[in-house]
Every structure is written in C-alpha cells, then in structure tokens.
Amino acid sequence: IFVGVMMLENFCGIGLGMILSASIRAVEMAPQVAPAVVILFLMFSGYFLNEDSVPIYMSWMKYISFIRWAFQALAANEFRGADFDCGESDLICFDGNEWLERLNFEDVVIGTNCAILALTIAIFNVVAFMVLVYRKPKFLRISAAERVTSRGEATEGGEQALSFKVTV
C-alpha cells in the first residue's frame, strides 16, 4: 500500500510539473514558479499545519492538495491499529489510533484517498494536454525560394530550387 500511494503521489507531482511546464513559456521561469506552487500544496497537506489551525477562508485549499491526500493515506496505513511500547520515562504515550485522532485523520479511508489521487492524476494530465493544445508551438513555414540560374534566369521553387526561404 505504501509504495502504491507514493507512486500515485509522484504521478500527481509529474502532472503538476507538466501543467506548469506547458503554461510557462519562459524556460527560466518554470523552476522559479514550481517551488512556490509546491509550498502551497505542502502548507495545506497536514504536515506543517493541523487542519483545525487553517483559517476558515483558506480551508478550501486543503482539498486541492494532492500531498494531503497521500499523507492522510500513508498515516492511516502506518498508524491505524498500531500499538507502541512506551517506557516509564516517556511523558506522553499514544497508540496509533490516538495519533490519527490528533491529526484529525481518524475517518480516513485509504481507498478513497487513492481514488482521489488517481482522479487528480487524470485531471492534471488532461489540463496539461489542453494547455499544450491551446499553446501549440508555432513552427516556421518553409517555402521554396526563387533561385537565379547561371544564365541569370529566375526559377520559382520546385525540385530545381536548391535554396529555401523561411517565412513566419
């Protein structure tokens, strides 16, 4: 399950990268924009902020974070039903289910999160394709150029013309 969820998360990241690469024309800008977008997904994933501490007007962002769905599935996979051995010197000792409650992940269904990740992969790839179709590259048109023969006569294109002119 762990490897499957990680693969889904990686494919989501690849899809996001394709969207950003297709959307940004300047090659130098894509590596500068991508970390900012990933940081937004990380901030609302549950790694750094508990879901209850996110302001209400920004709470919708947690639903578009593919990192959140993967983190929830992985946490549920690892902690659900787990018991930990705690020593007497440990101040706090929780079992796996209590950790999930503290993260507000007690209702997480791994299959649902994997389905959401698969849907996100499909959406990211379709959006990337649509951006590529919309912003299709403009190629230069090659047309036969006029050539002057050794006798000073002009010939127009065809198989006899050896030089080409490029028009935009």
Side-chain angles (χ1 to χ4, degrees):
I1 293 176
F2 178 83
V3 173
V5 172
M6 290 305 296
M7 286 177 58
L8 288 171
E9 183 181 29
N10 285 328
F11 288 140
C12 285
I14 291 168
L16 176 65
M18 287 193 303
I19 290 172
L20 293 175
S21 298
S23 300
I24 301 170
R25 289 198 188 264
V27 177
E28 303 84 22
M29 283 300 293
Q32 295 174 3
V33 172
V37 173
V38 172
I39 291 295
L40 280 175
F41 284 128
L42 277 172
M43 290 304 295
F44 297 99
S45 67
Y47 285 133
F48 301 116
L49 297 173
N50 193 322
E51 291 185 357
D52 290 338
S53 62
V54 175
I56 192 74
Y57 58 89
M58 297 181 85
S59 64
W60 61 271
M61 291 186 75
K62 66 184 177 186
Y63 297 110
I64 64 170
S65 174
F66 66 91
I67 298 172
R68 172 185 180 257
W69 299 110
F71 177 56
Q72 283 184 345
L74 292 173
N77 182 51
E78 296 299 320
F79 288 125
R80 187 163 289 142
D83 291 320
F84 301 110
D85 295 328
C86 300
E88 293 188 23
S89 62
D90 295 329
L91 298 176
I92 300 173
C93 185
F94 294 124
D95 67 1
N97 292 331
E98 290 172 330
W99 279 112
L100 290 175
E101 286 176 23
R102 289 180 64 87
L103 291 169
N104 294 327
F105 291 174
E106 64 270 4
D107 297 329
V108 171
V109 178
I110 297 171
T112 302
N113 283 33
C114 289
I116 291 170
L117 287 170
L119 180 66
T120 304
I121 292 168
I123 290 170
F124 280 175
N125 283 295
V126 167
V127 169
F129 179 75
M130 289 173 27
V131 170
L132 283 174
V133 168
Y134 175 74
R135 299 184 74 166
K136 62 186 168 195
K138 309 286 190 270
F139 294 106
L140 299 177
R141 182 172 301 200
I142 298 177
S143 62
E146 194 175 90
R147 186 170 79 90
V148 178
T149 64
S150 59
R151 293 181 293 218
E153 302 168 350
T155 62
E156 181 69 32
E159 295 176 25
Q160 299 165 347
L162 299 176
S163 62
F164 294 95
K165 68 179 179 181
V166 177
T167 59
V168 179

